[in-house]
């Protein structure tokens, strides 16, 4: 009965949710040729249509934006058609689905680029860790090329076009990806942004690209169908800032003024959970720290259990909780929580790449 609060309806802008158990965006690297969704992807998302809301995996806005093997895009007619099959299936099962649109920036490799050019970033600073080439082979990251100021409106326009394409594909809205050390977060944080133009230096300048993207996307499809995902105090790929509280307080206040549909925060304890099950013990509580600065629905994510999720919503720190690994392993997660049924355990070895194993073969309740 303690979980009942998770099953109250919730409105996110134009999207009505029957409950607050949300599926987090999950990179799975199982798209088809040319970044086009396949029937296997359709089955995967349809299996999880009982979520209050589904966020798709990161979906790239352009060829330049790709950073990982076998990830989907939303910039070609074929990709749009592939995604339409996904949204039709989710809606046929009574679900709601939002596309997370993304640009990986420096978290990429020249092997993904059309002519073998370097990945791009705010400044020529490589991330930590390793990239993966299209054949999934790990390789050291390259030092990215710093974007010219004149190129940034083109990136804003690509996000806008991606949002329009997502709506053509039947999505209920879009989420602007500002986490996981990707391009928009690279511009936000001074550990990766050493620019001296209008997009570097002080907090307002570093936040300019993200806010330009949000304004362009909102102008194209309506702010009531737009959300933003952020990871204050995150460390993915060596991302860092000298004043994260000041930076994200400013950004979140700006987003609140824009009346977007929701804010989605990754908790710092699990900002690298896609790479490891190890949590950052003692990390700040982002939902508690930044809740008062956003006048709208807030979604929190990272390493929640059904019990801690209910406690967080009950305490008013978040309005809904996004589950990642639990939705991988439990396509019927909302029903399992309601019935207090046992949960399947996820198999990390099958998270990235492959076929049906660890993707569509987890059992549902009888």
């Amino acid at each position: 009965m303690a979980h009942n609060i998770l099953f109250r309806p919730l409105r996110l802008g134009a999207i009505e949710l029957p409950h607050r158990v949300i599926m987090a965006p999950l990179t799975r690297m199982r798209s088809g040729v040319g970044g086009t969704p396949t029937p296997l992807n359709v089955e995967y998302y349809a299996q999880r249509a009982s979520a209050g809301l589904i966020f798709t995996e990161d979906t790239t806005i352009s060829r330049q934006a790709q950073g990982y093997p076998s990830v989907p895009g939303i910039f070609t007619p074929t990709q749009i058609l592939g995604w339409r099959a996904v949204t039709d299936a989710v809606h046929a099962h009574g679900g709601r689905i939002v596309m997370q649109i993304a640009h990986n920036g420096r978290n990429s490799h020249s092997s993904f680029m059309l002519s073998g050019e370097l990945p791009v970033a705010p400044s020529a600073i490589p991330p930590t860790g390793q990239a993966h080439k299209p054949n999934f082979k790990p390789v050291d990251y390259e030092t990215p090329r710093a974007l010219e100021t004149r190129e940034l409106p083109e990136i804003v326009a690509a996000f806008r076009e991606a949002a329009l394409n997502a709506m053509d594909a039947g999505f209920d809205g879009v989420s602007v990806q500002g986490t996981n050390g990707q391009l928009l977060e690279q511009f936000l944080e001074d550990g990766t942004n050493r620019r001296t133009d209008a997009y570097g230096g002080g907090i307002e300048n570093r936040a300019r690209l993200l806010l330009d993207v949000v304004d362009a996307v909102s102008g194209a499809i309506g702010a009531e169908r737009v959300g933003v995902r952020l990871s204050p105090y995150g460390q993915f790929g060596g991302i860092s800032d000298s004043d994260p509280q000041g930076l994200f307080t400013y950004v979140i206040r700006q987003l609140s003024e824009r009346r977007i549909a929701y804010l989605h925060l990754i908790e710092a304890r699990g900002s690298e959970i896609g790479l490891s099950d190890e949590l950052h013990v003692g990390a700040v509580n982002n939902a508690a720290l930044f809740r008062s600065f956003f006048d709208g629905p807030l979604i929190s994510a990272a390493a929640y259990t059904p019990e801690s999720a209910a406690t967080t919503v009950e305490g008013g720190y978040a309005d809904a909780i996004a589950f990642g690994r639990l939705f991988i392993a439990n396509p019927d997660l909302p029903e399992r929580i309601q019935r207090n049924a046992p949960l399947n355990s996820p198999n990390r070895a099958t998270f990235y790449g492959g076929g049906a194993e660890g993707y569509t073969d987890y059992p549902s309740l009888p």
Side-chain angles (χ1 to χ4, degrees):
M1 300 302 290
H3 301 146
N4 284 351
I5 195 167
L6 298 177
F7 292 93
R8 296 178 183 175
L10 177 66
R11 184 179 183 90
L12 303 180
I15 309 171
E16 294 279 357
L17 276 58
H19 60 79
R20 302 169 187 233
V21 178
I22 290 175
M23 178 175 162
L26 298 159
T27 294
R28 305 303 308 275
M29 300 183 194
R30 284 172 167 86
S31 292
V33 176
T36 300
T38 69
L40 183 66
N41 305 136
V42 173
E43 180 183 3
Y44 168 76
Y45 282 109
Q47 284 179 343
R48 290 154 179 81
S50 65
L53 177 67
I54 292 174
F55 288 117
T56 71
E57 59 211 282
D58 278 352
T59 305
T60 56
I61 62 170
S62 66
R63 179 67 178 266
Q64 183 196 68
Q66 184 173 350
Y68 298 95
S70 300
V71 296
I74 189 64
F75 54 91
T76 72
T78 303
Q79 292 167 350
I80 294 170
L81 286 174
W83 277 118
R84 169 62 77 170
V86 171
T87 61
D88 284 350
V90 169
H91 291 149
H93 285 79
R96 295 136 301 277
I97 186 167
V98 163
M99 172 175 280
Q100 183 154 280
I101 51 177
H103 191 308
N104 281 273
R106 69 178 191 167
N107 296 347
S108 187
H109 189 265
S110 57
S111 56
F112 289 108
M113 304 304 159
L114 189 62
S115 301
E117 59 267 27
L118 288 170
V120 297
S123 302
I125 303 170
T128 59
Q130 286 190 306
H132 285 81
K133 297 176 75 171
N135 62 3
F136 286 83
K137 180 181 178 180
V139 62
D140 290 342
Y141 277 115
E142 301 158 308
T143 298
R145 176 181 67 83
L147 284 157
E148 300 288 340
T149 307
R150 60 177 171 78
E151 295 178 275
L152 299 181
E154 299 171 10
I155 288 175
V156 174
F159 271 101
R160 180 183 183 276
E161 187 67 20
L164 289 169
N165 289 345
M167 300 310 290
D168 285 347
F171 282 90
D172 298 298
V174 301
S175 173
V176 174
Q177 168 65 302
T179 73
N180 290 351
Q182 295 194 22
L183 185 68
L184 297 181
E185 189 173 32
Q186 292 162 28
F187 269 85
L188 284 177
E189 307 214 12
D190 59 18
T192 43
N193 185 342
R194 308 287 174 80
R195 303 175 72 89
T196 57
D197 63 359
Y199 293 85
I203 287 174
E204 291 185 18
N205 280 3
R206 285 184 278 122
R208 190 183 307 276
L209 184 61
L210 170 67
L211 297 177
D212 284 354
V213 167
V214 172
D215 289 343
V217 170
S218 297
I221 68 171
E224 70 277 7
R225 294 194 180 275
V226 177
V228 176
R229 193 174 190 230
L230 300 173
S231 54
Y233 294 90
Q235 302 176 38
F236 196 100
I239 202 85
S240 67
D241 190 79
S242 61
D243 179 19
Q245 183 166 354
L247 168 65
F248 286 99
T249 296
Y250 172 80
V251 170
I252 291 168
R253 281 174 165 163
Q254 288 292 313
L255 294 174
S256 184
E257 290 179 8
R258 284 162 169 77
R259 312 301 296 173
I260 59 174
Y262 60 86
L263 175 66
H264 184 184
L265 295 181
I266 300 178
E267 283 301 327
R269 66 175 178 265
S271 64
E272 296 170 285
I273 210 161
L275 302 176
S276 169
D277 290 320
E278 184 177 350
L279 303 180
H280 297 292
V281 178
V284 298
N285 184 321
N286 283 330
L289 186 60
F290 295 106
R291 182 69 187 94
S292 63
F293 302 123
F294 187 74
D295 184 19
L298 189 147
I299 301 166
S300 182
Y304 278 98
T305 64
E307 292 73 24
S308 63
T311 298
T312 297
V313 174
E314 185 74 50
Y317 299 116
D319 298 287
I321 303 297
F323 296 88
R325 292 170 300 170
L326 289 185
F327 253 118
I328 286 176
N330 299 275
D332 56 349
L333 181 61
E335 182 181 2
R336 287 176 183 267
I337 293 175
Q338 278 189 304
R339 292 170 56 178
N340 200 29
L343 299 177
N344 302 321
S345 297
N347 178 8
R348 180 172 286 278
T350 61
F351 279 6
Y352 305 115
E357 182 185 1
Y359 191 60
T360 57
D361 63 349
Y362 284 104
S364 295
L365 290 171

